[in-house]
């Protein structure tokens, strides 16, 4: 779609909406595209750089924080190369007792456990609040 530019007098200018990627491109992998790739950093021992496609700060920050809780991880940091592309790069350095890949897999397992616990606790509290709310109005719900 083009919007006429009355000030320029030289035709049309592109609409800002043309520069925004389609929403499905933010989470669906393309043909032959991998979710995660690993590249070993040869400059620093026990270090790897992982590239996560179709992910953003949400997962990047959770993984970074969880990795730093491990006593075997010396460094963990991530960056998003460009805000319009849903991709982040995670660098992990370990003390050598485990590989960066093993540290990442363990962090993922720990996160799944933590998020399951959070979900169960939230659901339990939600149900308790609903029961307390029903008890306060005698179960009439405003009728």
């Amino acid at each position: 779609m083009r919007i006429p530019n009355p000030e320029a007098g030289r035709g049309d200018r592109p609409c800002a909406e043309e520069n925004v990627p389609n929403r499905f491109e933010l989470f669906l992998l393309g043909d032959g595209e991998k979710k995660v790739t690993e590249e070993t950093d040869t400059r620093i021992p026990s270090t790897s750089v992982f590239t996560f496609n179709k992910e953003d700060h949400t997962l990047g920050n959770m993984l970074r924080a969880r990795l730093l809780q491990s006593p075997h991880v010396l460094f963990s940091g991530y960056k998003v190369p460009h805000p319009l592309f849903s991709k982040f790069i995670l660098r992990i350095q370990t003390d050598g007792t485990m590989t960066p890949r093993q540290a990442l897999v363990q962090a993922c397992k720990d996160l799944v456990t933590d998020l399951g616990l959070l979900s169960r606790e939230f659901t339990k509290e939600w149900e308790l609040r609903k029961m307390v709310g029903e008890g306060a109005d005698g179960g009439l719900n405003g009728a």
Side-chain angles (χ1 to χ4, degrees), residues 36-125:
V36 182
T37 57
E38 179 183 12
E39 183 180 327
T40 303
D41 189 344
T42 57
R43 298 172 296 163
I44 304 169
S46 300
T47 302
S48 286
V49 177
F50 297 90
T51 302
F52 287 77
N53 290 312
K54 309 301 182 191
E55 295 293 345
D56 60 6
H57 287 283
T58 306
L59 182 62
N61 195 38
M62 284 195 308
L63 285 173
R64 178 201 58 82
R66 189 63 189 181
L67 282 161
L68 290 174
Q69 291 177 0
S70 170
H72 303 292
V73 174
L74 302 176
F75 176 81
S76 175
Y78 80 97
K79 68 179 180 178
V80 175
H82 194 281
L84 284 181
F85 302 111
S86 54
K87 172 170 105 171
F88 73 87
I89 299 167
L90 177 69
R91 180 181 298 272
I92 304 170
Q93 181 183 6
T94 63
D95 60 6
T97 57
M98 68 187 328
T99 66
R101 179 183 291 200
Q102 290 170 329
L104 179 60
V105 168
Q106 186 59 49
C108 289
K109 289 177 181 178
D110 293 344
L111 272 176
V112 168
T113 301
D114 291 347
L115 292 172
L117 177 65
L118 175 66
S119 176
R120 284 189 301 278
E121 290 296 317
F122 180 83
T123 303
K124 183 172 73 174
E125 288 296 322

Side-chain angles (χ1 to χ4, degrees), residues 9-36:
R10 287 184 254 129
D12 298 335
R13 60 184 165 93
C15 176
E17 293 173 354
E18 289 180 6
N19 293 330
V20 178
N22 291 324
R23 289 205 184 270
F24 70 87
E25 292 176 2
L26 298 175
F27 57 88
L28 290 179
L29 292 172
D31 292 336
E33 189 176 22
K34 292 184 177 181
K35 187 68 166 179
V36 182

